[in-house]
Amino acid sequence: MTVPRSPAPGTAPPEQSGPDALAAEQEQPWLRLDKRMLLVHPVDEAVKLLPVLLISLVVGTQSGNHYWGLLVLTGLVAYAIARWLTTSYRIGPVHVQLRTGVFQRKVLSVPRNRIRSVDVEAGLLHRVLGLSVVRIGTGQRAEKPGESARFELNALDARLVPALREALLFAHGSTDSPGASEPAPAPPAVEIAHWSPSWVRYAPLSTTGVLTVAAAVGLVFQYGLGQRVADSDTISEGLDVLRGWGVAAAVTIGVVALVAIASALACVRYLLTFGNLTVTDDGRVLHVSHGLLRTRQTTLDRARLRGTSLREPLLLRMAGAARLDAVMTGVSADQRFSSMLLPQAPHAEVRRMESLVLRADDSTPLRMHGPAARRRRYSRALLPFAALAAAAGVAGAVGAPIGWPVWTAVAILAVAAGLLAHDRYRGLGHATPPGRLVTRHGSLDRGRHTVDADGIVAWTVRQTFFQRRAGVATVIAATPAGTGHYDVIDLPADEAWALVEAVTPGAGDAWTRSV
């Protein structure tokens, strides 16, 4: 057996196993990241510690000692150089290893046969310098909050990354014999989706802009600038004008201003994040690339594809839009962008993309779950308001001042709850096309999930006390992909194991025989 002893930076030897491979791996040298990162690390650290730099600048200006800023900047540069000197990696035939830490040393070792994703990113400065950030994921969740279950090579020469990604993702298998054949070359890729600038109109229909505004306000107050802004002459004069217009006008203007700012920020973020998005398919992998300033490339192995999730939040659904994610083994659904196929886009485009990814025209109509499921949605939506109306009636009977505004508010909220219950029932359903389970539920955040039968590893039929009384049950399909489970909610109980049998022949029948 021949094992490369000293691979070039950014390359990977063939994946192997066994004692000989492990012994040869230990003799391989540790490699450093590209020297051009010495230009990037100081900038990254300066951005992270921008408040500290600003404070040092203010202190230096007020004290007349301008060396404060210079000292802080020198410290950032020294720390960046120390990070580069103390970071090294080794790509062996058995493991991928990373050593990091300026003050506390840490070695992260990932078996190559456990690698599930290789994501590539490049910020603006990385792109100028010809570098890329490679993140290797194993699909494992972090054991502690803030702890990462994958490691990052920041950064490698961008020209070496495609071959490295190919080797890490698709070189699984034994090559112990000297005459082992090389992996077959990838077939030509076909573009199956391309981003359109018109899609930006869907960006304001998410909470991104509002969250950005909230984060900016929190940051301002965190560094003690909020009170200064509030006490400024401009803000004071603006508040005086609004008081003269009345409370209703002030609230209306405030809401309109918030919506306008949040929408603008959401559109800018959408353009920067998803601009130039393309999705290609070579029959073996789906390659997703997007971003204007910071680019991101994600490779989804079709061998690990277990289905799709079509998300339709209420506002997007009202605008005729949706977004699409892949259900991938070893890629958790909470990993940001790692399984995204399409961002907010027209519903017809999302469904077309879904058919191409699944390689099937999934036109099977969903089966509704019957009157018991409908009653449960209306009862859970309206009972709280019925109780509130009863409480208001009792309070009015004993002399409490319950005026028409209270009854009007209760009536409006009850009507809204009834409409929500109606929409939730309309969105509830399932289908069992050959080899797949399709389930849909929700209203404010509706999701339609399609999961391959081969990816389902276990079934659970669950009934709460109230479900037993209503004669319905929830069927849970467990899978090592995506969210880990996909539920068929409030299905008639006598149809639960028939559904299991339809998706996984023999599973439901075995249960029936056991009872």
Side-chain angles (χ1 to χ4, degrees), residues 9 73 106 423 494:
L73 185 60
K106 178 181 178 181
D423 190 58
D494 55 358

Side-chain angles (χ1 to χ4, degrees), residues 118-200:
V118 178
D119 293 345
V120 181
E121 284 190 4
L124 183 59
L125 188 55
H126 286 76
R127 293 170 64 187
V128 170
L129 296 174
L131 299 173
S132 293
V133 182
V134 178
R135 295 191 176 95
I136 299 173
T138 63
Q140 301 293 323
R141 295 178 181 269
E143 296 180 359
K144 299 179 182 178
E147 181 181 322
S148 178
R150 61 183 182 181
F151 72 66
E152 174 181 284
L153 298 177
N154 185 3
L156 300 176
D157 190 319
R159 295 170 298 181
L160 304 176
V161 169
L164 174 62
R165 178 175 55 197
E166 181 82 6
L168 292 179
L169 281 177
F170 307 114
H172 300 326
S174 175
T175 57
D176 291 341
S177 61
S181 60
E182 295 293 330
V190 177
E191 184 176 281
I192 60 174
H194 189 87
W195 180 79
S196 171
S198 63
W199 296 358
V200 74

